[in-house]
Amino acid sequence: MASKYPTLTDADFPPLKNDLLLRAARGEETERAPTWIMRQAGRYLPEFRKLRESHSFFEICQTPELACAITLQPIHRYTGLLDASIIFSDILVVPQALGLEVQMLPSKGPHFPAPLRELVDVARLREDVDVEKELGYVFDAITLTRRELKGEVPLIGFSGAPWTLFAYMVEGGGSKTLQEAKRWLFSWPEESTRVIERVTDVVVDYLVGQVKAGAQALQVFDSWASELSPRHFRLFSLPSLLRIASSVRSRLTAQNIPIPPLILFAKGVSPSLFPELAEAGYDVLGLDWATPPSYVDRTKVAVQGNLDPNVLYGDRAGVDREVKAMAEEFIGQAKGPKGWIANLGHGITPGVDPENLRWTLECIQKYSARR
């Protein structure tokens, strides 16, 4: 079936003025660490909360003009301090594309009214997902936002990792134990794997579509990697992560489309898995705040992270001290950063004062500058 979305190239957009993130993702030395913040377009910003007063969460995700406006909010507020934007969306648009209803409830977060609790529930998933039909609004938002950025910074696209998405689809929302998802893994391992593979098919199509729409980097969020032992991660998450990297690369290569940097953020994953993740086909490994960069072979892969998000609740002296320590850990004895993208170790939280983030970004620029 012919695509209704044309493949867009750099020539279709304003020239990029700031390529720090793209260079760092390739492992290059940079004059300072490029910086972006997970959830940088979010509830801590008063302008975000104002827009949310008149629009539901998924209405914003599904309306390209609104998603674009939200994506640009932190870029406009922190001019010169952020080196990338990330399209405003949610990892749970993929389960929606598969036919599941997802709600975003105030003060509770994501909720699936009818999760996959038993094997018979798998029949409710769409057999063949037309990603352009189901998620074309994200592609439209990416194209619009790339143009509206006017080349100021690159635009990152993203998806949830299949294991994390599967866990949400079975749990029906957030969970402290993932007991339902693990009941699936340990009762029906083969069936669980088949569902994860179906999710992977959609994720690959989705990420390729984002690149064709104008995304200049891609991040895969395996937010619940921490909930799997190394053995179970190798069984239920790693195969899909490998397939995403290899399939996205091969699909883009077959269409003569340049491959953007691929970032993998497997939060809380066992350090014993880093040698395998460094060879998994991603250019950058994102690190949470409990994972030092020394765990990663940086001759093979660039790194991203990893300030504790709660540092942003500290006073200015505390933020300054912690950012300095982070920079020293990532840069070491070198004269400046190489293959390091500065970020938090997870998403920024709603209670942060936006001016504390500004100070954090200023400190990152100060302490990561090449000497």
PDB file of all heavy atoms in Angstrom, residues 44-77:
ATOM      1  N   TYR A  44       5.479  20.909  34.960  1.00  0.00           N
ATOM      2  CA  TYR A  44       6.179  21.896  35.782  1.00  0.00           C
ATOM      3  C   TYR A  44       6.092  23.292  35.178  1.00  0.00           C
ATOM      4  O   TYR A  44       6.331  24.291  35.868  1.00  0.00           O
ATOM      5  CB  TYR A  44       7.653  21.490  35.976  1.00  0.00           C
ATOM      6  CG  TYR A  44       8.498  21.688  34.739  1.00  0.00           C
ATOM      7  CD1 TYR A  44       9.347  22.788  34.629  1.00  0.00           C
ATOM      8  CD2 TYR A  44       8.444  20.803  33.667  1.00  0.00           C
ATOM      9  CE1 TYR A  44      10.113  22.987  33.495  1.00  0.00           C
ATOM     10  CE2 TYR A  44       9.193  20.992  32.542  1.00  0.00           C
ATOM     11  CZ  TYR A  44      10.028  22.089  32.453  1.00  0.00           C
ATOM     12  OH  TYR A  44      10.782  22.293  31.313  1.00  0.00           O
ATOM     13  N   LEU A  45       5.747  23.397  33.890  1.00  0.00           N
ATOM     14  CA  LEU A  45       5.669  24.685  33.206  1.00  0.00           C
ATOM     15  C   LEU A  45       4.267  25.278  33.341  1.00  0.00           C
ATOM     16  O   LEU A  45       3.280  24.634  32.978  1.00  0.00           O
ATOM     17  CB  LEU A  45       5.995  24.525  31.722  1.00  0.00           C
ATOM     18  CG  LEU A  45       7.452  24.202  31.360  1.00  0.00           C
ATOM     19  CD1 LEU A  45       7.583  23.981  29.859  1.00  0.00           C
ATOM     20  CD2 LEU A  45       8.384  25.321  31.825  1.00  0.00           C
ATOM     21  N   PRO A  46       4.139  26.520  33.810  1.00  0.00           N
ATOM     22  CA  PRO A  46       2.811  27.131  33.918  1.00  0.00           C
ATOM     23  C   PRO A  46       2.118  27.279  32.574  1.00  0.00           C
ATOM     24  O   PRO A  46       0.894  27.157  32.487  1.00  0.00           O
ATOM     25  CB  PRO A  46       3.090  28.497  34.562  1.00  0.00           C
ATOM     26  CG  PRO A  46       4.550  28.740  34.378  1.00  0.00           C
ATOM     27  CD  PRO A  46       5.199  27.395  34.330  1.00  0.00           C
ATOM     28  N   GLU A  47       2.883  27.490  31.501  1.00  0.00           N
ATOM     29  CA  GLU A  47       2.262  27.624  30.184  1.00  0.00           C
ATOM     30  C   GLU A  47       1.672  26.290  29.716  1.00  0.00           C
ATOM     31  O   GLU A  47       0.659  26.261  29.004  1.00  0.00           O
ATOM     32  CB  GLU A  47       3.253  28.177  29.155  1.00  0.00           C
ATOM     33  CG  GLU A  47       4.575  27.446  29.032  1.00  0.00           C
ATOM     34  CD  GLU A  47       5.680  28.016  29.910  1.00  0.00           C
ATOM     35  OE1 GLU A  47       5.406  28.329  31.093  1.00  0.00           O
ATOM     36  OE2 GLU A  47       6.828  28.102  29.423  1.00  0.00           O
ATOM     37  N   PHE A  48       2.295  25.180  30.132  1.00  0.00           N
ATOM     38  CA  PHE A  48       1.725  23.865  29.835  1.00  0.00           C
ATOM     39  C   PHE A  48       0.412  23.679  30.599  1.00  0.00           C
ATOM     40  O   PHE A  48      -0.601  23.253  30.031  1.00  0.00           O
ATOM     41  CB  PHE A  48       2.716  22.764  30.213  1.00  0.00           C
ATOM     42  CG  PHE A  48       2.170  21.362  30.068  1.00  0.00           C
ATOM     43  CD1 PHE A  48       2.304  20.676  28.876  1.00  0.00           C
ATOM     44  CD2 PHE A  48       1.517  20.738  31.124  1.00  0.00           C
ATOM     45  CE1 PHE A  48       1.790  19.375  28.739  1.00  0.00           C
ATOM     46  CE2 PHE A  48       1.002  19.453  30.991  1.00  0.00           C
ATOM     47  CZ  PHE A  48       1.146  18.778  29.797  1.00  0.00           C
ATOM     48  N   ARG A  49       0.431  24.000  31.885  1.00  0.00           N
ATOM     49  CA  ARG A  49      -0.778  23.826  32.707  1.00  0.00           C
ATOM     50  C   ARG A  49      -1.914  24.703  32.188  1.00  0.00           C
ATOM     51  O   ARG A  49      -3.084  24.293  32.221  1.00  0.00           O
ATOM     52  CB  ARG A  49      -0.464  24.141  34.172  1.00  0.00           C
ATOM     53  CG  ARG A  49       0.540  23.176  34.792  1.00  0.00           C
ATOM     54  CD  ARG A  49       0.550  23.287  36.306  1.00  0.00           C
ATOM     55  NE  ARG A  49       0.937  24.608  36.767  1.00  0.00           N
ATOM     56  CZ  ARG A  49       2.184  24.987  37.020  1.00  0.00           C
ATOM     57  NH1 ARG A  49       3.192  24.139  36.819  1.00  0.00           N
ATOM     58  NH2 ARG A  49       2.452  26.201  37.467  1.00  0.00           N
ATOM     59  N   LYS A  50      -1.583  25.887  31.715  1.00  0.00           N
ATOM     60  CA  LYS A  50      -2.605  26.781  31.177  1.00  0.00           C
ATOM     61  C   LYS A  50      -3.274  26.160  29.959  1.00  0.00           C
ATOM     62  O   LYS A  50      -4.513  26.163  29.833  1.00  0.00           O
ATOM     63  CB  LYS A  50      -1.966  28.126  30.797  1.00  0.00           C
ATOM     64  CG  LYS A  50      -2.939  29.141  30.212  1.00  0.00           C
ATOM     65  CD  LYS A  50      -3.944  29.607  31.245  1.00  0.00           C
ATOM     66  CE  LYS A  50      -4.837  30.698  30.689  1.00  0.00           C
ATOM     67  NZ  LYS A  50      -5.902  31.095  31.653  1.00  0.00           N
ATOM     68  N   LEU A  51      -2.496  25.593  29.046  1.00  0.00           N
ATOM     69  CA  LEU A  51      -3.068  24.973  27.852  1.00  0.00           C
ATOM     70  C   LEU A  51      -3.889  23.737  28.215  1.00  0.00           C
ATOM     71  O   LEU A  51      -4.929  23.476  27.614  1.00  0.00           O
ATOM     72  CB  LEU A  51      -1.955  24.632  26.862  1.00  0.00           C
ATOM     73  CG  LEU A  51      -2.387  24.313  25.429  1.00  0.00           C
ATOM     74  CD1 LEU A  51      -1.318  24.761  24.433  1.00  0.00           C
ATOM     75  CD2 LEU A  51      -2.657  22.830  25.242  1.00  0.00           C
ATOM     76  N   ARG A  52      -3.438  23.015  29.250  1.00  0.00           N
ATOM     77  CA  ARG A  52      -4.154  21.808  29.660  1.00  0.00           C
ATOM     78  C   ARG A  52      -5.527  22.116  30.254  1.00  0.00           C
ATOM     79  O   ARG A  52      -6.393  21.240  30.310  1.00  0.00           O
ATOM     80  CB  ARG A  52      -3.324  21.019  30.680  1.00  0.00           C
ATOM     81  CG  ARG A  52      -2.281  20.135  30.067  1.00  0.00           C
ATOM     82  CD  ARG A  52      -2.872  18.862  29.456  1.00  0.00           C
ATOM     83  NE  ARG A  52      -3.111  17.832  30.483  1.00  0.00           N
ATOM     84  CZ  ARG A  52      -4.284  17.363  30.817  1.00  0.00           C
ATOM     85  NH1 ARG A  52      -5.381  17.826  30.241  1.00  0.00           N
ATOM     86  NH2 ARG A  52      -4.402  16.417  31.733  1.00  0.00           N
ATOM     87  N   GLU A  53      -5.731  23.369  30.710  1.00  0.00           N
ATOM     88  CA  GLU A  53      -7.027  23.724  31.280  1.00  0.00           C
ATOM     89  C   GLU A  53      -8.163  23.568  30.268  1.00  0.00           C
ATOM     90  O   GLU A  53      -9.303  23.288  30.650  1.00  0.00           O
ATOM     91  CB  GLU A  53      -6.995  25.176  31.787  1.00  0.00           C
ATOM     92  CG  GLU A  53      -6.156  25.366  33.041  1.00  0.00           C
ATOM     93  CD  GLU A  53      -6.058  26.830  33.429  1.00  0.00           C
ATOM     94  OE1 GLU A  53      -6.682  27.679  32.745  1.00  0.00           O
ATOM     95  OE2 GLU A  53      -5.349  27.141  34.410  1.00  0.00           O
ATOM     96  N   SER A  54      -7.844  23.724  28.998  1.00  0.00           N
ATOM     97  CA  SER A  54      -8.892  23.679  27.969  1.00  0.00           C
ATOM     98  C   SER A  54      -8.758  22.503  27.013  1.00  0.00           C
ATOM     99  O   SER A  54      -9.539  22.399  26.054  1.00  0.00           O
ATOM    100  CB  SER A  54      -8.879  24.993  27.166  1.00  0.00           C
ATOM    101  OG  SER A  54      -7.583  25.283  26.691  1.00  0.00           O
ATOM    102  N   HIS A  55      -7.792  21.628  27.251  1.00  0.00           N
ATOM    103  CA  HIS A  55      -7.608  20.476  26.360  1.00  0.00           C
ATOM    104  C   HIS A  55      -7.198  19.246  27.170  1.00  0.00           C
ATOM    105  O   HIS A  55      -6.364  19.338  28.071  1.00  0.00           O
ATOM    106  CB  HIS A  55      -6.527  20.760  25.305  1.00  0.00           C
ATOM    107  CG  HIS A  55      -6.816  21.947  24.444  1.00  0.00           C
ATOM    108  ND1 HIS A  55      -7.712  21.903  23.399  1.00  0.00           N
ATOM    109  CD2 HIS A  55      -6.335  23.218  24.495  1.00  0.00           C
ATOM    110  CE1 HIS A  55      -7.759  23.096  22.821  1.00  0.00           C
ATOM    111  NE2 HIS A  55      -6.938  23.910  23.463  1.00  0.00           N
ATOM    112  N   SER A  56      -7.749  18.091  26.819  1.00  0.00           N
ATOM    113  CA  SER A  56      -7.351  16.851  27.490  1.00  0.00           C
ATOM    114  C   SER A  56      -5.961  16.427  27.008  1.00  0.00           C
ATOM    115  O   SER A  56      -5.472  16.883  25.973  1.00  0.00           O
ATOM    116  CB  SER A  56      -8.356  15.737  27.195  1.00  0.00           C
ATOM    117  OG  SER A  56      -8.257  15.334  25.833  1.00  0.00           O
ATOM    118  N   PHE A  57      -5.348  15.529  27.778  1.00  0.00           N
ATOM    119  CA  PHE A  57      -3.989  15.105  27.464  1.00  0.00           C
ATOM    120  C   PHE A  57      -3.889  14.506  26.063  1.00  0.00           C
ATOM    121  O   PHE A  57      -3.063  14.911  25.246  1.00  0.00           O
ATOM    122  CB  PHE A  57      -3.501  14.094  28.508  1.00  0.00           C
ATOM    123  CG  PHE A  57      -2.106  13.609  28.259  1.00  0.00           C
ATOM    124  CD1 PHE A  57      -1.025  14.332  28.712  1.00  0.00           C
ATOM    125  CD2 PHE A  57      -1.881  12.429  27.564  1.00  0.00           C
ATOM    126  CE1 PHE A  57       0.274  13.901  28.464  1.00  0.00           C
ATOM    127  CE2 PHE A  57      -0.592  11.982  27.322  1.00  0.00           C
ATOM    128  CZ  PHE A  57       0.492  12.723  27.773  1.00  0.00           C
ATOM    129  N   PHE A  58      -4.737  13.516  25.788  1.00  0.00           N
ATOM    130  CA  PHE A  58      -4.619  12.857  24.484  1.00  0.00           C
ATOM    131  C   PHE A  58      -5.165  13.729  23.353  1.00  0.00           C
ATOM    132  O   PHE A  58      -4.785  13.532  22.194  1.00  0.00           O
ATOM    133  CB  PHE A  58      -5.285  11.481  24.510  1.00  0.00           C
ATOM    134  CG  PHE A  58      -4.438  10.434  25.189  1.00  0.00           C
ATOM    135  CD1 PHE A  58      -4.877   9.816  26.354  1.00  0.00           C
ATOM    136  CD2 PHE A  58      -3.201  10.083  24.682  1.00  0.00           C
ATOM    137  CE1 PHE A  58      -4.093   8.863  26.993  1.00  0.00           C
ATOM    138  CE2 PHE A  58      -2.407   9.127  25.304  1.00  0.00           C
ATOM    139  CZ  PHE A  58      -2.854   8.521  26.467  1.00  0.00           C
ATOM    140  N   GLU A  59      -6.021  14.694  23.660  1.00  0.00           N
ATOM    141  CA  GLU A  59      -6.411  15.663  22.643  1.00  0.00           C
ATOM    142  C   GLU A  59      -5.192  16.452  22.173  1.00  0.00           C
ATOM    143  O   GLU A  59      -5.020  16.693  20.969  1.00  0.00           O
ATOM    144  CB  GLU A  59      -7.467  16.618  23.195  1.00  0.00           C
ATOM    145  CG  GLU A  59      -7.909  17.697  22.208  1.00  0.00           C
ATOM    146  CD  GLU A  59      -8.779  18.758  22.842  1.00  0.00           C
ATOM    147  OE1 GLU A  59      -9.086  18.662  24.050  1.00  0.00           O
ATOM    148  OE2 GLU A  59      -9.151  19.714  22.125  1.00  0.00           O
ATOM    149  N   ILE A  60      -4.337  16.825  23.108  1.00  0.00           N
ATOM    150  CA  ILE A  60      -3.108  17.535  22.735  1.00  0.00           C
ATOM    151  C   ILE A  60      -2.219  16.627  21.884  1.00  0.00           C
ATOM    152  O   ILE A  60      -1.705  17.038  20.842  1.00  0.00           O
ATOM    153  CB  ILE A  60      -2.360  18.017  23.992  1.00  0.00           C
ATOM    154  CG1 ILE A  60      -3.198  19.067  24.726  1.00  0.00           C
ATOM    155  CG2 ILE A  60      -0.996  18.597  23.621  1.00  0.00           C
ATOM    156  CD1 ILE A  60      -2.620  19.492  26.054  1.00  0.00           C
ATOM    157  N   CYS A  61      -2.045  15.386  22.328  1.00  0.00           N
ATOM    158  CA  CYS A  61      -1.207  14.444  21.562  1.00  0.00           C
ATOM    159  C   CYS A  61      -1.723  14.270  20.141  1.00  0.00           C
ATOM    160  O   CYS A  61      -0.929  14.163  19.189  1.00  0.00           O
ATOM    161  CB  CYS A  61      -1.183  13.083  22.249  1.00  0.00           C
ATOM    162  SG  CYS A  61      -0.354  13.029  23.850  1.00  0.00           S
ATOM    163  N   GLN A  62      -3.031  14.250  19.978  1.00  0.00           N
ATOM    164  CA  GLN A  62      -3.638  13.929  18.687  1.00  0.00           C
ATOM    165  C   GLN A  62      -3.924  15.153  17.829  1.00  0.00           C
ATOM    166  O   GLN A  62      -4.448  15.009  16.714  1.00  0.00           O
ATOM    167  CB  GLN A  62      -4.926  13.136  18.934  1.00  0.00           C
ATOM    168  CG  GLN A  62      -4.658  11.770  19.558  1.00  0.00           C
ATOM    169  CD  GLN A  62      -5.892  11.131  20.159  1.00  0.00           C
ATOM    170  OE1 GLN A  62      -7.014  11.644  20.022  1.00  0.00           O
ATOM    171  NE2 GLN A  62      -5.716   9.998  20.845  1.00  0.00           N
ATOM    172  N   THR A  63      -3.580  16.339  18.303  1.00  0.00           N
ATOM    173  CA  THR A  63      -3.777  17.572  17.538  1.00  0.00           C
ATOM    174  C   THR A  63      -2.416  18.160  17.232  1.00  0.00           C
ATOM    175  O   THR A  63      -1.763  18.734  18.124  1.00  0.00           O
ATOM    176  CB  THR A  63      -4.625  18.577  18.344  1.00  0.00           C
ATOM    177  OG1 THR A  63      -5.836  17.938  18.776  1.00  0.00           O
ATOM    178  CG2 THR A  63      -4.959  19.799  17.498  1.00  0.00           C
ATOM    179  N   PRO A  64      -1.929  18.026  16.008  1.00  0.00           N
ATOM    180  CA  PRO A  64      -0.555  18.442  15.701  1.00  0.00           C
ATOM    181  C   PRO A  64      -0.224  19.870  16.124  1.00  0.00           C
ATOM    182  O   PRO A  64       0.876  20.123  16.637  1.00  0.00           O
ATOM    183  CB  PRO A  64      -0.464  18.260  14.189  1.00  0.00           C
ATOM    184  CG  PRO A  64      -1.418  17.133  13.910  1.00  0.00           C
ATOM    185  CD  PRO A  64      -2.562  17.340  14.859  1.00  0.00           C
ATOM    186  N   GLU A  65      -1.148  20.787  15.951  1.00  0.00           N
ATOM    187  CA  GLU A  65      -0.865  22.179  16.310  1.00  0.00           C
ATOM    188  C   GLU A  65      -0.645  22.331  17.814  1.00  0.00           C
ATOM    189  O   GLU A  65       0.226  23.101  18.260  1.00  0.00           O
ATOM    190  CB  GLU A  65      -2.010  23.090  15.847  1.00  0.00           C
ATOM    191  CG  GLU A  65      -2.155  23.199  14.347  1.00  0.00           C
ATOM    192  CD  GLU A  65      -2.836  21.980  13.720  1.00  0.00           C
ATOM    193  OE1 GLU A  65      -3.411  21.136  14.464  1.00  0.00           O
ATOM    194  OE2 GLU A  65      -2.797  21.856  12.474  1.00  0.00           O
ATOM    195  N   LEU A  66      -1.427  21.609  18.612  1.00  0.00           N
ATOM    196  CA  LEU A  66      -1.269  21.677  20.062  1.00  0.00           C
ATOM    197  C   LEU A  66       0.014  20.962  20.505  1.00  0.00           C
ATOM    198  O   LEU A  66       0.751  21.468  21.363  1.00  0.00           O
ATOM    199  CB  LEU A  66      -2.482  21.061  20.753  1.00  0.00           C
ATOM    200  CG  LEU A  66      -3.811  21.791  20.563  1.00  0.00           C
ATOM    201  CD1 LEU A  66      -4.944  21.012  21.242  1.00  0.00           C
ATOM    202  CD2 LEU A  66      -3.740  23.207  21.109  1.00  0.00           C
ATOM    203  N   ALA A  67       0.279  19.797  19.935  1.00  0.00           N
ATOM    204  CA  ALA A  67       1.510  19.076  20.273  1.00  0.00           C
ATOM    205  C   ALA A  67       2.736  19.910  19.927  1.00  0.00           C
ATOM    206  O   ALA A  67       3.723  19.940  20.675  1.00  0.00           O
ATOM    207  CB  ALA A  67       1.552  17.729  19.553  1.00  0.00           C
ATOM    208  N   CYS A  68       2.672  20.585  18.793  1.00  0.00           N
ATOM    209  CA  CYS A  68       3.763  21.462  18.382  1.00  0.00           C
ATOM    210  C   CYS A  68       3.941  22.597  19.384  1.00  0.00           C
ATOM    211  O   CYS A  68       5.066  22.892  19.823  1.00  0.00           O
ATOM    212  CB  CYS A  68       3.490  22.014  16.986  1.00  0.00           C
ATOM    213  SG  CYS A  68       4.672  23.273  16.425  1.00  0.00           S
ATOM    214  N   ALA A  69       2.846  23.241  19.759  1.00  0.00           N
ATOM    215  CA  ALA A  69       2.920  24.368  20.690  1.00  0.00           C
ATOM    216  C   ALA A  69       3.540  23.938  22.021  1.00  0.00           C
ATOM    217  O   ALA A  69       4.395  24.646  22.585  1.00  0.00           O
ATOM    218  CB  ALA A  69       1.530  24.953  20.914  1.00  0.00           C
ATOM    219  N   ILE A  70       3.140  22.769  22.533  1.00  0.00           N
ATOM    220  CA  ILE A  70       3.689  22.268  23.796  1.00  0.00           C
ATOM    221  C   ILE A  70       5.178  21.954  23.646  1.00  0.00           C
ATOM    222  O   ILE A  70       5.990  22.264  24.521  1.00  0.00           O
ATOM    223  CB  ILE A  70       2.917  21.019  24.254  1.00  0.00           C
ATOM    224  CG1 ILE A  70       1.486  21.385  24.651  1.00  0.00           C
ATOM    225  CG2 ILE A  70       3.637  20.318  25.396  1.00  0.00           C
ATOM    226  CD1 ILE A  70       1.342  22.090  25.959  1.00  0.00           C
ATOM    227  N   THR A  71       5.549  21.318  22.530  1.00  0.00           N
ATOM    228  CA  THR A  71       6.946  20.960  22.294  1.00  0.00           C
ATOM    229  C   THR A  71       7.843  22.192  22.306  1.00  0.00           C
ATOM    230  O   THR A  71       8.977  22.155  22.815  1.00  0.00           O
ATOM    231  CB  THR A  71       7.087  20.232  20.950  1.00  0.00           C
ATOM    232  OG1 THR A  71       6.248  19.073  20.949  1.00  0.00           O
ATOM    233  CG2 THR A  71       8.524  19.806  20.690  1.00  0.00           C
ATOM    234  N   LEU A  72       7.341  23.288  21.768  1.00  0.00           N
ATOM    235  CA  LEU A  72       8.141  24.507  21.647  1.00  0.00           C
ATOM    236  C   LEU A  72       8.227  25.298  22.948  1.00  0.00           C
ATOM    237  O   LEU A  72       9.118  26.152  23.087  1.00  0.00           O
ATOM    238  CB  LEU A  72       7.566  25.399  20.551  1.00  0.00           C
ATOM    239  CG  LEU A  72       7.627  24.854  19.117  1.00  0.00           C
ATOM    240  CD1 LEU A  72       6.931  25.802  18.161  1.00  0.00           C
ATOM    241  CD2 LEU A  72       9.067  24.625  18.676  1.00  0.00           C
ATOM    242  N   GLN A  73       7.337  25.043  23.899  1.00  0.00           N
ATOM    243  CA  GLN A  73       7.317  25.857  25.128  1.00  0.00           C
ATOM    244  C   GLN A  73       8.670  25.916  25.837  1.00  0.00           C
ATOM    245  O   GLN A  73       9.166  27.007  26.141  1.00  0.00           O
ATOM    246  CB  GLN A  73       6.224  25.356  26.073  1.00  0.00           C
ATOM    247  CG  GLN A  73       4.820  25.746  25.638  1.00  0.00           C
ATOM    248  CD  GLN A  73       3.742  25.202  26.564  1.00  0.00           C
ATOM    249  OE1 GLN A  73       3.996  24.359  27.422  1.00  0.00           O
ATOM    250  NE2 GLN A  73       2.514  25.680  26.383  1.00  0.00           N
ATOM    251  N   PRO A  74       9.304  24.787  26.143  1.00  0.00           N
ATOM    252  CA  PRO A  74      10.596  24.891  26.835  1.00  0.00           C
ATOM    253  C   PRO A  74      11.697  25.470  25.956  1.00  0.00           C
ATOM    254  O   PRO A  74      12.630  26.105  26.473  1.00  0.00           O
ATOM    255  CB  PRO A  74      10.900  23.441  27.230  1.00  0.00           C
ATOM    256  CG  PRO A  74      10.108  22.615  26.266  1.00  0.00           C
ATOM    257  CD  PRO A  74       8.868  23.389  25.976  1.00  0.00           C
ATOM    258  N   ILE A  75      11.608  25.268  24.640  1.00  0.00           N
ATOM    259  CA  ILE A  75      12.619  25.837  23.735  1.00  0.00           C
ATOM    260  C   ILE A  75      12.545  27.358  23.793  1.00  0.00           C
ATOM    261  O   ILE A  75      13.574  28.056  23.832  1.00  0.00           O
ATOM    262  CB  ILE A  75      12.411  25.321  22.304  1.00  0.00           C
ATOM    263  CG1 ILE A  75      12.446  23.785  22.270  1.00  0.00           C
ATOM    264  CG2 ILE A  75      13.463  25.905  21.361  1.00  0.00           C
ATOM    265  CD1 ILE A  75      13.718  23.173  22.811  1.00  0.00           C
ATOM    266  N   HIS A  76      11.344  27.903  23.800  1.00  0.00           N
ATOM    267  CA  HIS A  76      11.171  29.351  23.883  1.00  0.00           C
ATOM    268  C   HIS A  76      11.559  29.883  25.260  1.00  0.00           C
ATOM    269  O   HIS A  76      12.198  30.936  25.369  1.00  0.00           O
ATOM    270  CB  HIS A  76       9.725  29.728  23.570  1.00  0.00           C
ATOM    271  CG  HIS A  76       9.341  29.471  22.145  1.00  0.00           C
ATOM    272  ND1 HIS A  76       8.030  29.310  21.738  1.00  0.00           N
ATOM    273  CD2 HIS A  76      10.090  29.345  21.026  1.00  0.00           C
ATOM    274  CE1 HIS A  76       7.991  29.095  20.434  1.00  0.00           C
ATOM    275  NE2 HIS A  76       9.229  29.102  19.978  1.00  0.00           N
ATOM    276  N   ARG A  77      11.195  29.164  26.314  1.00  0.00           N
ATOM    277  CA  ARG A  77      11.488  29.637  27.677  1.00  0.00           C
ATOM    278  C   ARG A  77      12.984  29.613  27.961  1.00  0.00           C
ATOM    279  O   ARG A  77      13.526  30.524  28.607  1.00  0.00           O
ATOM    280  CB  ARG A  77      10.742  28.783  28.703  1.00  0.00           C
ATOM    281  CG  ARG A  77      11.041  29.164  30.142  1.00  0.00           C
ATOM    282  CD  ARG A  77      10.307  28.271  31.123  1.00  0.00           C
ATOM    283  NE  ARG A  77       8.942  28.696  31.368  1.00  0.00           N
ATOM    284  CZ  ARG A  77       8.562  29.458  32.392  1.00  0.00           C
ATOM    285  NH1 ARG A  77       9.465  29.914  33.254  1.00  0.00           N
ATOM    286  NH2 ARG A  77       7.296  29.771  32.560  1.00  0.00           N
TER     287      ARG A  77
END
